[in-house]
Amino acid sequence: MSGWGAAVLPGFSTDNEALNYCYDAESLRVEPWGPNALRIRASRRPGNDKFPSEDWALSVPPSKTTPNVDLQEDHATITNGSIKASISLYGKLTIVNVDSGTVLLEEYARHRRDKSDPKCSALDIEGREFDPTRGGEYHLTMRFESQDPDEKIYGMGQYQTGLLNLKGQDLELAQRNSQASVPFMVSSRGYGLLWNQPAVGRAVFGVNIMSFEAYQTQHLDYWVVAGESPAELVQAYARATGTVPMMPEYGLGYWQSKCRYMTQEEVLKVAREYHERKLPMDVLVIDFFHWLKQGDFAFDARLWPDPAELVKQCAEMGIQLMVSVWPTMQKDNEHYPRALQSGYLVQQHKGLRTLMDFRAECGIVDFTNPEAREFVWDLCKKNYYDYGIKIFWLDEAEPEFSVYHFDNVRLWSGNQISAGNAYPRDFVRTFYEGMTNAGQDQVVNLIRCAWAGSQKYGALVWSGDTASSFGSFRDQVAAGLNMGMAGIPWWTSDIGGFHGGDGNSPAFQELLARWFFFGAFSPVFRMHGDRENGTAGSTVGSVQGSGGDNEVWSFGPQVYEVCVKYLKLRELLREYIRGLMREAHEKGSPITRPMFYEFPKDEQCWERSCDSQYMFGSKYLVAPVMTAGAAGRSVYVPKDSKWQRVDETSGKGQGEFLQGGQRIEVHAPWTESNPLFVRVF
């Protein structure tokens, strides 16, 4: 039996928009949410009107398609394009690709309620498990059968594991310095899944069971889409959650930064030096502790006497300034009493009201609170934006707690453990909305963390405070590629790593030169790091040291020649990069792409041996050398295509044409070149 109307059987019903199911105390709703996609929500409270109004990442309204709902005696189905969900009489959910008949997702349920199920079992394990917690919420676990032990899974944000394929990994769904939970995954089996839960939790991609957990929540909420290629899945996700704005022109070139430039004159000195050397630079960064106290959201006037003049002089050299903004507010700051009284600060359930202790005891601004967002933006507009500063560095954005006791923290939007993963989204949202309301239409802000949907607010995510080592360098390649697969196309890393690095050390010089090449072929090309042999804080007020020199001429003549070459090469590719940014804006396409993204039919491109090389757009194959002392590496050139080695001074192909479908050994000493190939169309 099929059709619309009232329930045909106890449990199944439809309302012309969705398939609804009720059994005992649980409600389940499956509805179309964009082409070939379904949103699945469940609650332990009877009645389908009990789901929250907050759509979290799914803020783009779905296309209003009328689903095909079929209500039978022992099951019901809902079909939306090429995706179909089936619910058994006792609530087990299975999702298939209609075109191929492939089972995409099948709940892992082991109980005896449905004796017709061939997996009927005495284990008594639910596919959707709501375990009550104190306070009336639930520890939610969602379990799926693993359909193929060789399935490959990508995305989920940024994890410092060095592994691109997530199958077999156990991931904490929580925000930390250098870890970003963006819970959208892409499967080699032709589906993408967004875990639409901002709760702290866990994802396990086992060979037997794939599970997602939210440690505290009221509802189950996830979104699944079917597609024929990774590109189709990522672009569908971008349509559902939003795409990045168009990258401003100054985002295409080189960004110069170090641990901290201490004074206005020091910034001008660096800007003039790059300008006099005729070295291209688009952005110069003023990092933390340019303020007097945390929470000032303003320059320390003793060290930065005329910000408007500083901005003007840099602009005359073609340089934009970016300033750091922290969410911390120390207790003796002038704004702290108002912020505390107004409820603008993150709360604690127990203990002293200090969430971060770095140079002072600090509270943290609660950017999930709309009034707190307005309060901070008003200060930043007055003290930065009105001077002409159009880029912000939103640091400490997880936020970084001195102790990560998630269950002891409460936000305006809910407990940290139930809603806190969305905090960095609201941090970057604060500045995006403030800047667009002020008339700026192309917005990019650097931020240290992200959640699903952050991209639509102009989030450029960097990989946090990483080590200055080849091991850490290798981790960043996988981290950046998985961020792109998770729908965050704007990503960057600290060239050379953040922690340490002696500019006079030959070992570090090699690392920095190799990383500089990777930076040139990252979405945003940015130098940063806390180098050794820095200076102490200024005697006129600043408590934070500066770090060692970190300009391209700071590491000896050989490194300088390498850096100049890639600075110029990035400029030669500016028009091409602008096109990639337009594609990201219009379609959600990542800038840096795993090999299988461009060559999904080449089986070799899905193998682990290709995980350390990638495509920069559709044209350039980039293979960083990530082993100390190596004079080159092995590179696979995909089949059904032809390639040439790139002349790094002209950006054009040179030498013999290479037929794809083979692995080659590339000679590339760090002082001479890096493995870079161009696809010949």
Side-chain angles (χ1 to χ4, degrees), residues 391-402:
I391 322 174
F392 294 92
W393 181 348
L394 309 179
D395 207 343
E396 300 291 322
E398 299 79 17
E400 184 175 17
F401 303 118
S402 290

Side-chain angles (χ1 to χ4, degrees), residues 311-357:
V311 170
K312 176 177 176 292
Q313 290 191 37
C314 286
E316 290 170 351
M317 292 180 274
I319 298 168
Q320 291 281 338
L321 290 179
M322 177 169 72
V323 297
S324 173
V325 174
W326 280 26
T328 52
M329 183 173 286
Q330 64 191 71
K331 294 181 178 180
D332 60 348
N333 179 275
E334 65 174 311
H335 304 303
Y336 186 88
R338 179 186 170 189
L340 181 64
Q341 186 274 331
S342 301
Y344 296 163
L345 299 177
V346 176
Q347 301 176 41
Q348 289 168 266
H349 293 298
K350 294 181 291 185
L352 298 175
R353 193 67 176 271
T354 300
L355 284 169
M356 189 174 184
D357 186 4

Side-chain angles (χ1 to χ4, degrees), residues 656-677:
E656 63 176 315
F657 289 93
L658 299 170
Q659 189 62 44
Q662 62 173 316
R663 184 166 288 278
I664 59 175
E665 296 298 322
V666 181
H667 183 67
W670 74 265
T671 56
E672 298 177 13
S673 64
N674 282 278
L676 178 64
F677 296 84

Side-chain angles (χ1 to χ4, degrees), residues 626-653:
M626 297 174 288
T627 302
R633 60 163 289 171
S634 172
V635 178
Y636 176 73
V637 286
K639 64 183 182 182
D640 300 327
S641 56
K642 290 196 297 185
W643 303 84
Q644 275 187 302
R645 186 92 181 259
V646 171
D647 177 355
E648 294 179 339
T649 59
S650 69
K652 299 179 180 179

